[in-house]
Amino acid sequence: MRLRLSPTLFFAFLLPLPGCLLGAQPPTSVLLEDAVFTSAAAGMSAACATTDVGITICWGDDTWSTPRPPDEPLAMVEAGSSFFCGLTPKGKVLCFDDTGLGDMYSSDMEPPDGTFELLAAGERHACALDAEGHATCWGDNSSDQAVAPDTVFTDLAAGWDHTCGLTTSGAIQCWGSTNSD
């Protein structure tokens, strides 16, 4: 499994917030002697990582509380601005934040039912790919970023208010905000 960093990590390095993740180190308890980390993601003021046995550990600054991952094992984790979503080993999507709920400021937060293989998280929305390559998105839809096209994708990346997918033909297709201002 490749290590994927969320696009919001870019914002963490651009925004000079007090206690931002720039240079922040995981707490000593995260540096487990025999742990093999398989996934890591950084949001605006926190980061989470998963291990090869499904343990998810989160840390961050004091801007908000540290995210509380679900008790269920996660195989991978993705970060939005102030929330995280993960995939269980069986492909179920679970989202969480410092409340443990992963509310993404939207009543449409509820992750989809089904089995998925890949996640991408934007500022307040997330998308997942199923085994057939179909994208399902949820969360904030103020710029149509949570309305995935009916296309087969091999990869996804989510930004502030848009999402892009790599199609099976090698083309990039994006949806959501196309505003370049």
Side-chain angles (χ1 to χ4, degrees):
M1 174 179 276
R2 62 192 167 119
L3 186 65
R4 292 176 44 123
L5 295 180
S6 170
T8 54
L9 179 63
F10 178 72
F11 291 110
F13 286 107
L14 286 180
L15 300 173
L17 299 174
C20 189
L21 288 176
L22 184 60
Q25 296 296 315
T28 306
S29 62
V30 174
L31 303 175
L32 304 172
E33 184 82 22
D34 296 321
V36 176
F37 289 94
T38 57
S39 175
M44 191 174 340
S45 65
C48 293
T50 57
T51 68
D52 58 345
V53 293
I55 297 170
T56 301
I57 302 167
C58 298
W59 64 95
D61 70 10
D62 292 328
T63 305
W64 291 284
S65 300
T66 301
R68 294 188 326 217
D71 292 332
E72 199 167 337
L74 296 178
M76 67 154 314
V77 65
E78 279 287 324
S81 167
S82 59
F83 73 95
F84 292 83
C85 289
L87 282 179
T88 68
K90 292 184 178 183
K92 178 182 176 184
V93 177
L94 299 174
C95 294
F96 58 97
D97 58 14
D98 59 346
T99 66
L101 303 175
D103 67 13
M104 296 194 303
Y105 314 112
S106 173
S107 60
D108 297 324
M109 168 44 214
E110 192 66 32
D113 289 329
T115 303
F116 298 93
E117 297 187 347
L118 184 135
L119 288 174
E123 198 255 342
R124 295 182 318 203
H125 75 286
C127 298
L129 275 186
D130 65 20
E132 290 79 37
H134 299 285
T136 301
C137 302
W138 64 98
D140 177 40
N141 194 37
S142 59
S143 297
D144 291 331
Q145 68 268 39
V147 180
D150 187 19
T151 303
V152 177
F153 297 102
T154 60
D155 199 7
L156 293 175
W160 192 262
D161 57 2
H162 63 282
T163 306
C164 295
L166 178 64
T167 69
T168 55
S169 66
I172 300 291
Q173 184 173 358
C174 299
W175 59 96
S177 177
T178 57
N179 190 354
S180 59
D181 296 341

